[in-house]
Amino acid sequence: MAPTRPTKRARTAIQSAPSASTSTGQQGGLFAPFRSLGHITTNVPFVVLSRSSKYLQTPALTVVTSLGSSWAMWEGQSLRLLFVGPDMGAPITSLAMSMDSVFAAAGSYVGRYVRGKEVGRFVLPTSRSSASDSDDSDSDDSGSEASDSDDSEDASMDEDAPEATVLTNLTIFGSTLLALSSSGTKMYVWDIPQLTNPASVDPSAASTSKAKQSTEVTPYATIDFAPGFTANRVVHPASYLNKVVVGSKEGDLAIWNVRTASLIHTFEASSLVTSPSPVTALTQSPAIDVLGVGYAGGETVLFDVRMGEVLGRVRLEGEGCGEVAGVAFRNDDISQTLAVSSSTGHVALFDLSAKLRLLHLVRAAHEGPVGGLEWIAGQPLMMTSSGDNSLKQWLFDSPTSPPRLLKQRSGHHAPPHLVRYYGDDGKSLLTAGADRALRYTSVVRDSRGYELSQGSIARKANHLGVKPSSLKLPVITSLSYSNSRSKDWDDVVTISDGEALGRSWSVEGKRVGKWTLKAEGEVKTTAVTACGNFGLVGSSAGEVAMYNMQSGMKRKIFKVPNAGAGDGRGRHVTGVATDSLNRIVVVSTLKGGVHFFNFQSMKLQSSITVPAGVTSILLQRENNLVAVVCDDLTVRIIDIETQRIVRELAGFRGRILDVAFSPDSRWVITTSQDSIIRTFDVPTGQLVDAFRTATVATSLSFSPTSDFLATAHVDSVGVYLWANRAQFSEVSLRSFVEEDLEDVALPTVQGVDVDEGLSELTAPVRWEDVQPYTTPDQLSDELLTLSLMPRSRWQTLLNLETIKQRNKPKEAPKAPERAPFFLPTLPGVKQRFDFGTEMATEVAEVKSRKLDMTSASVETEFVQRLLKEDKAGDYQSFFEYLKALSPSATDLELRSLTMLPHLEAFLDALSGRLASHRDFEAVQTFLACFLRIHGDVLVQNTELKGAMEKVAEEQKRESSRLMDLTHYSLGALAFLRSTPIA
């Protein structure tokens, strides 16, 4: 028996937590959740792991940060994102690392991950659905005392509903995992099982094994803290076997043996600090037995656990020093430094070798509490993180030099409220948020994102002792750009809240520009021309000023007509736009006026008054359509060529926040305060898609390549991408009924999996109800149908004589040289030449030169098909054959018609085809060639007069019908462009 091919073993699937990215509603809309951008870290402290190897010049660093309900792994040297973990279904409260495993606590369980895949869970005792044999084995390993404690705790946990317990403060030492409950009353202890590579397991042995490896691990011990001791921090002192030090909100420290679940000793807060306060930081120092303890009162203590003595203390003093958020010790041989971070964003550095002298104070290192503070082992590098969505590396050039910022990864630390695609490739975004920052975000690579500089703000903030965010420009409310001249000068113009001027920016230079754009009154809106040479700003005083982007000089002023000084709403400019050719300037006002100015002469051409006030406008330069957002919860579309309202899009149940056109100008996508993103079809004016998100989308932008829709939401610092299904599959654009509206969750940082992504981007289920449509040869007998002949075919036929003259050789062809030959001889004694062959050849040549009259009378296939057709028919088969001929063959066949019956038959074919309303342009081409070749014969023979008159009559009738149909179509198009369709 031949050996069978080994099959790949199935991967054991781990039941994951319910993902927030799973939509609870329809999956058949135009847009599918793809991924989110701009998430770096939260206020949960990061973890870092350094690996040394003889094959590496420097240790390899791995950093893991929390992204909310998922985590991200970064390469420590370049801060490059490696991958993102799966969604855990609840916010992550603590992180830990051990070798290749990442441990994350979320809700009432701790997940274990290897290379982003969940391989196990650590759960609470009563969170199991049923008992298993693995529980017995776990209890046997823990010893009798721990077993008794476990049994008693199992009974108590049934009463305390552990499903509501939130785990925090993960700690790993050896093969033991610790976690505290959020209430601070319990500590759970697990044994970490050894991972087994599935590829190394014998399938036959695994099938016969009675003990199944459980993916859920329960704690072998649960420790209850005494009343009055609320645990909030835990650390394992180096070289202490099975012992941990636990800090409390009361300021006390306690030493516990986790294996025996027994309390060894308690240190009162009064013996540690002068004024007791909660413990906020607890870490091991490079010296054995010495811990660093930080308190909410701003004091940090160096405490010897073995001796029970305080070796030293430092205090964060000064106005706004805040609480101690983190403590870390430098662990190289160059310097002995203690770093203390505060809840106000400062980082203080103390010299341990100089009686805890203050070396440096880094003010406003972050915008919020610096919860993550770590020194890289053996390197002069310090890493910090905060809830301001940033991760930073600080380098110390010498033992006493101040730290300098080496690398950082950051995003908005306040929700962005304005997002726009930058450029024509759809690979980058410009976002403005409540943190007063303007950021460039790359869609394809996160590391390319950066914040546009606003000057030496950090230096000024350090000198003044304030946060850098307080010195930034006010919140940006309007943004416009054109990257046509981005390499030559500034290409972005923004308007900030409360400022009376606009500012230019350079994305290429990554900084704020040197020009300010002023107008009479407070500036409200801005626009940049398509050429990138001019920037326009509109003010509340009814003035639109145009500046040159290269020189920064004011060039023109457009005055908005109004009813006088008391007409504030009529003078308040809410939107400015210019067309692609710089012919028209469109200006809208809060009173509902839409004015059209001549770009060159600055004169008012016309005005339109809409029924409600206008809050913003958006011009689609490809088709000159303006989307006007009105106060009456309606979007009106105006054609700037006819200067009329052509569509009205209604149905909103909240204020319209933003609007965007699709690149092909077919869709209008809107977002409103009712938390619904709607898509309207512009040609029909109908709602074709809508979905509700968990939070309100404040801004949106459609990719220039039509692949993604980018949105920004309240209470979120990220930018969310939605994949356009129409780019990947067939979609059905039927009228959408909002009663069928369902909720769709926001995209996650991890994005969709491969299988899930393919299923998400399949055709909607409604498409199955649509039957395939086959286009008939002729839509209606009342219409004129053209042929499918290429344009070059009938153009070549009309100009065939000219083409032959152009391709005619300049000189006569030369005869080839005659090859040598020998005269044949006859057999015999005497030499005699055989002239018979030559004479036969000459006779054959003479015969071949005679005209064979019998062959000339044979009809060609062209004539046969022509005569076979019915005179009352439409000559379908004949014209199919004729259209398949090449131009030269068609010309030859027309010239071969030498007999009058054949000429009359061809005229009948032309008149019959015209009467059938088909192949109009082909018939015109064949008729022109026929008259040019046989015109003199047709004039001289009266037998053909009737056929010619019939062709002329049909030609006149069809030409008249063609003109009528063309005028009707033009009139209908003009009517549709000028009539609003609700």
Side-chain angles (χ1 to χ4, degrees):
M1 179 177 179
T4 60
R5 181 180 179 181
T7 59
K8 185 177 180 181
R9 290 188 296 274
R11 179 181 298 175
T12 303
I14 303 297
Q15 183 68 24
S16 60
S19 175
S21 63
T22 303
S23 174
T24 59
Q26 63 179 11
Q27 295 295 331
L30 290 179
F31 300 101
F34 183 67
R35 63 169 298 201
S36 62
L37 307 172
H39 296 274
I40 306 299
T41 182
T42 61
N43 55 357
V44 177
F46 67 91
V47 290
V48 60
L49 183 63
S50 177
R51 295 185 179 90
S52 300
S53 173
K54 63 180 181 180
Y55 302 105
L56 300 176
Q57 296 181 353
T58 58
L61 299 180
T62 303
V63 182
V64 177
T65 62
S66 169
L67 303 179
S69 59
S70 61
W71 51 269
M73 181 174 288
W74 311 80
E75 197 276 321
Q77 297 292 347
S78 61
L79 294 183
R80 177 175 56 89
L81 181 63
L82 299 179
F83 50 82
V84 178
D87 193 285
M88 300 187 67
I92 293 177
T93 55
S94 183
L95 293 168
M97 287 188 68
S98 176
M99 298 303 291
D100 294 332
S101 299
V102 176
F103 298 83
S108 59
Y109 77 98
V110 178
R112 185 182 186 182
Y113 302 91
V114 175
R115 297 197 61 81
K117 302 295 183 182
E118 184 176 342
V119 296
R121 283 194 178 189
F122 300 86
V123 298
L124 299 183
T126 57
S127 62
R128 295 170 295 175
S129 58
S130 62
S132 62
D133 296 336
S134 61
D135 295 337
D136 298 334
S137 61
D138 291 341
S139 61
D140 293 338
D141 295 339
S142 61
S144 59
E145 296 182 5
S147 299
D148 296 339
S149 174
D150 188 28
D151 295 339
S152 61
E153 290 305 323
D154 283 348
S156 62
M157 291 302 291
D158 292 337
E159 301 174 357
D160 295 340
E163 289 79 6
T165 302
V166 177
L167 301 177
T168 61
N169 292 278
L170 294 181
T171 301
I172 296 177
F173 60 95
S175 61
T176 303
L177 172 66
L178 304 178
L180 298 178
S181 63
S182 58
S183 61
T185 59
K186 297 180 183 298
M187 179 170 62
Y188 304 96
V189 187
W190 293 272
D191 265 332
I192 303 176
Q194 184 177 3
L195 284 180
T196 303
N197 190 353
S200 62
V201 178
D202 187 3
S204 59
S207 61
T208 58
S209 177
K210 295 182 180 179
K212 296 182 180 180
Q213 184 179 3
S214 176
T215 58
E216 291 187 352
V217 182
T218 56
Y220 71 81
T222 302
I223 299 175
D224 273 334
F225 298 108
F229 188 94
T230 307
N232 61 352
R233 294 292 184 273
V234 61
V235 68
H236 169 65
S239 74
Y240 281 57
L241 183 63
N242 297 329
K243 297 177 180 64
V244 295
V245 177
V246 183
S248 67
K249 293 183 179 180
E250 292 77 16
D252 302 336
L253 297 179
I255 302 178
W256 284 83
N257 188 317
V258 297
R259 185 60 61 174
T260 61
S262 59
L263 176 63
I264 297 176
H265 188 73
T266 301
F267 302 97
E268 299 292 336
S270 57
S271 63
L272 301 176
V273 291
T274 55
S275 57
S277 58
V279 176
T280 56
L282 191 59
T283 186
Q284 171 71 48
S285 72
I288 299 178
D289 303 328
V290 180
L291 301 179
V293 187
Y295 289 88
E299 192 171 0
T300 301
V301 175
L302 300 182
F303 183 67
D304 191 326
V305 180
R306 184 180 183 86
M307 303 299 297
E309 297 179 356
V310 176
L311 304 181
R313 55 170 50 92
V314 295
R315 176 179 291 274
L316 297 177
E317 299 179 349
E319 183 180 358
C321 62
E323 304 176 355
V324 175
V327 177
F329 294 88
R330 184 170 177 175
N331 49 10
D332 58 6
D333 299 332
I334 301 177
S335 175
Q336 294 78 38
T337 306
L338 169 65
V340 180
S341 61
S342 70
S343 59
T344 56
H346 307 319
V347 177
L349 302 171
F350 300 90
D351 190 354
L352 296 176
S353 61
K355 299 182 180 180
L356 296 176
R357 178 176 61 90
L358 179 64
L359 285 177
H360 304 287
L361 178 62
V362 183
R363 295 184 179 273
H366 289 272
E367 294 292 336
V370 186
L373 179 64
E374 293 285 347
W375 288 85
I376 306 302
Q379 299 185 42
L381 284 177
M382 181 179 66
M383 296 189 66
T384 59
S385 71
S386 174
D388 63 352
N389 198 26
S390 65
L391 178 66
K392 298 182 179 181
Q393 280 187 0
W394 307 84
L395 176 64
F396 293 80
D397 296 317
S398 66
T400 58
S401 62
R404 61 181 178 89
L405 185 61
L406 180 63
K407 294 184 181 71
Q408 69 170 335
R409 291 296 307 276
S410 61
H412 285 287
H413 63 266
H417 59 269
L418 193 60
V419 56
R420 294 291 182 267
Y421 266 96
Y422 177 79
D424 299 328
D425 54 1
K427 296 181 179 179
S428 54
L429 293 163
L430 289 178
T431 57
D435 55 356
R436 303 183 177 184
L438 178 63
R439 296 191 62 87
Y440 173 93
T441 303
S442 175
V443 176
V444 296
R445 182 171 295 179
D446 294 338
S447 59
R448 294 178 181 174
Y450 55 85
E451 178 182 349
L452 274 68
S453 173
Q454 300 184 19
S456 303
I457 292 181
R459 186 185 308 169
K460 295 178 183 178
N462 190 22
H463 178 72
L464 299 175
V466 296
K467 290 186 176 181
S469 60
S470 62
L471 301 180
K472 291 183 179 181
L473 298 175
V475 175
I476 294 175
T477 58
S478 178
L479 182 149
S480 182
Y481 78 93
S482 174
N483 61 343
S484 300
R485 306 299 297 271
S486 59
K487 295 184 179 180
D488 301 324
W489 50 72
D490 299 345
D491 56 344
V492 179
V493 176
T494 61
I495 303 297
S496 299
D497 187 24
E499 281 197 332
L501 49 86
R503 297 182 183 274
S504 64
W505 299 75
S506 174
V507 177
E508 188 80 13
K510 304 180 182 180
R511 56 171 175 78
V512 65
K514 51 186 177 181
W515 310 126
T516 57
L517 289 67
K518 300 180 181 179
E520 181 183 354
E522 185 177 350
V523 176
K524 294 296 182 181
T525 184
T526 181
V528 178
T529 58
C531 61
N533 294 325
F534 302 100
L536 296 88
V537 290
S539 69
S540 58
E543 180 179 288
V544 177
M546 186 176 71
Y547 286 80
N548 186 284
M549 296 292 289
Q550 181 181 11
S551 62
M553 298 179 62
K554 183 185 290 187
R555 295 302 186 187
K556 296 179 181 180
I557 296 177
F558 303 87
K559 288 290 186 179
V560 176
N562 52 77
D567 188 15
R569 292 175 57 87
R571 294 184 294 114
H572 190 108
V573 177
T574 58
V576 178
T578 61
D579 67 338
S580 57
L581 300 178
N582 290 349
R583 298 180 298 111
I584 301 175
V585 178
V586 185
V587 181
S588 65
T589 61
L590 191 59
K591 194 176 181 179
V594 180
H595 310 284
F596 301 91
F597 293 87
N598 185 281
F599 187 90
Q600 302 298 333
S601 63
M602 299 177 289
K603 293 182 179 180
L604 180 65
Q605 294 181 346
S606 63
S607 298
I608 299 176
T609 301
V610 297
V614 178
T615 59
S616 64
I617 63 174
L618 176 66
L619 172 64
Q620 179 72 349
R621 290 192 172 111
E622 282 71 15
N623 61 357
N624 287 338
L625 293 180
V626 180
V628 180
V629 180
C630 302
D631 282 337
D632 60 349
L633 308 184
T634 303
V635 177
R636 294 175 171 86
I637 299 180
I638 299 177
D639 187 355
I640 66 174
E641 296 295 338
T642 61
Q643 298 176 1
R644 294 181 180 180
I645 301 176
V646 295
R647 295 292 185 276
E648 289 187 356
L649 312 177
F652 301 93
R653 296 191 293 267
R655 187 169 68 91
I656 303 172
L657 301 177
D658 203 0
V659 62
F661 276 97
S662 62
D664 58 359
S665 307
R666 184 176 180 83
W667 298 339
V668 171
I669 303 96
T670 61
T671 176
S672 55
Q673 284 188 337
D674 56 3
S675 193
I676 298 176
I677 297 177
R678 296 175 172 86
T679 302
F680 293 89
D681 187 61
V682 175
T684 62
Q686 298 295 324
L687 178 68
V688 294
D689 184 70
F691 61 93
R692 183 187 294 110
T693 56
T695 57
V696 177
T698 56
S699 181
L700 52 82
S701 180
F702 209 103
S703 169
T705 55
S706 301
D707 48 2
F708 294 112
L709 174 70
T711 60
H713 296 257
V714 297
D715 301 332
S716 178
V717 297
V719 177
Y720 298 90
L721 298 181
W722 307 79
N724 180 15
R725 293 177 185 268
Q727 289 287 96
F728 309 98
S729 62
E730 302 279 352
V731 294
S732 176
L733 297 179
R734 290 186 172 184
S735 181
F736 188 88
V737 181
E738 288 206 11
E739 283 71 11
D740 301 334
L741 185 68
E742 297 183 7
D743 296 338
V744 178
L746 295 178
T748 61
V749 182
Q750 184 188 21
V752 296
D753 295 332
V754 177
D755 298 337
E756 183 181 357
L758 292 177
S759 63
E760 286 287 326
L761 299 177
T762 55
V765 294
R766 292 174 297 182
W767 182 255
E768 298 177 358
D769 302 333
V770 180
Q771 298 298 327
Y773 177 77
T774 304
T775 304
D777 295 336
Q778 192 169 17
L779 298 178
S780 174
D781 294 338
E782 299 178 357
L783 299 178
L784 265 179
T785 304
L786 303 181
S787 69
L788 297 179
M789 289 177 57
R791 184 178 180 181
S792 59
R793 178 74 64 83
W794 52 266
Q795 282 187 342
T796 302
L797 185 59
L798 290 175
N799 302 280
L800 191 59
E801 293 294 336
T802 305
I803 296 174
K804 289 182 177 180
Q805 285 294 115
R806 185 184 304 166
N807 297 336
K808 185 178 180 181
K810 297 182 180 180
E811 56 183 12
K814 297 180 179 179
E817 297 182 0
R818 299 181 65 184
F821 67 95
F822 300 91
L823 292 176
T825 57
L826 296 174
V829 178
K830 295 183 180 180
Q831 185 178 4
R832 292 178 301 171
F833 295 97
D834 185 6
F835 297 99
T837 304
E838 182 177 357
M839 295 299 296
T841 303
E842 292 179 359
V843 172
E845 291 180 355
V846 171
K847 290 183 178 181
S848 64
R849 291 171 186 169
K850 295 181 180 180
L851 179 61
D852 189 1
M853 300 302 297
T854 59
S855 62
S857 61
V858 177
E859 296 177 347
T860 62
E861 183 181 359
F862 176 83
V863 177
Q864 291 176 359
R865 288 177 176 269
L866 177 61
L867 299 178
K868 189 169 50 177
E869 293 287 344
D870 184 10
K871 291 187 177 182
D874 58 358
Y875 290 84
Q876 177 66 27
S877 61
F878 172 72
F879 270 87
E880 290 296 332
Y881 171 77
L882 182 58
K883 289 187 295 183
L885 297 177
S886 65
S888 299
T890 304
D891 182 76
L892 179 62
E893 293 291 353
L894 292 179
R895 294 181 183 274
S896 65
L897 298 176
T898 56
M899 303 178 64
L900 295 182
H902 295 171
L903 297 178
E904 183 179 4
F906 188 77
L907 290 175
D908 293 338
L910 294 179
S911 60
R913 199 59 175 174
L914 285 174
S916 65
H917 313 315
R918 297 185 180 185
D919 300 335
F920 182 79
E921 88 282 11
V923 171
Q924 302 302 314
T925 303
F926 298 145
L927 179 60
C929 295
F930 181 77
L931 294 178
R932 184 181 59 198
I933 297 173
H934 303 287
D936 53 347
V937 178
L938 297 177
V939 173
Q940 296 175 2
N941 295 272
T942 58
E943 296 88 342
L944 303 176
K945 182 179 180 181
M948 294 175 59
E949 290 178 349
K950 185 177 179 181
V951 172
E953 182 180 356
E954 291 292 340
Q955 174 73 10
K956 184 178 180 180
R957 182 186 301 110
E958 292 303 313
S959 298
S960 178
R961 290 184 67 255
L962 177 62
M963 296 301 297
D964 293 342
L965 291 174
T966 304
H967 291 161
Y968 174 81
S969 300
L970 293 176
L973 181 61
F975 174 77
L976 293 176
R977 289 169 61 94
S978 61
T979 302
I981 297 180

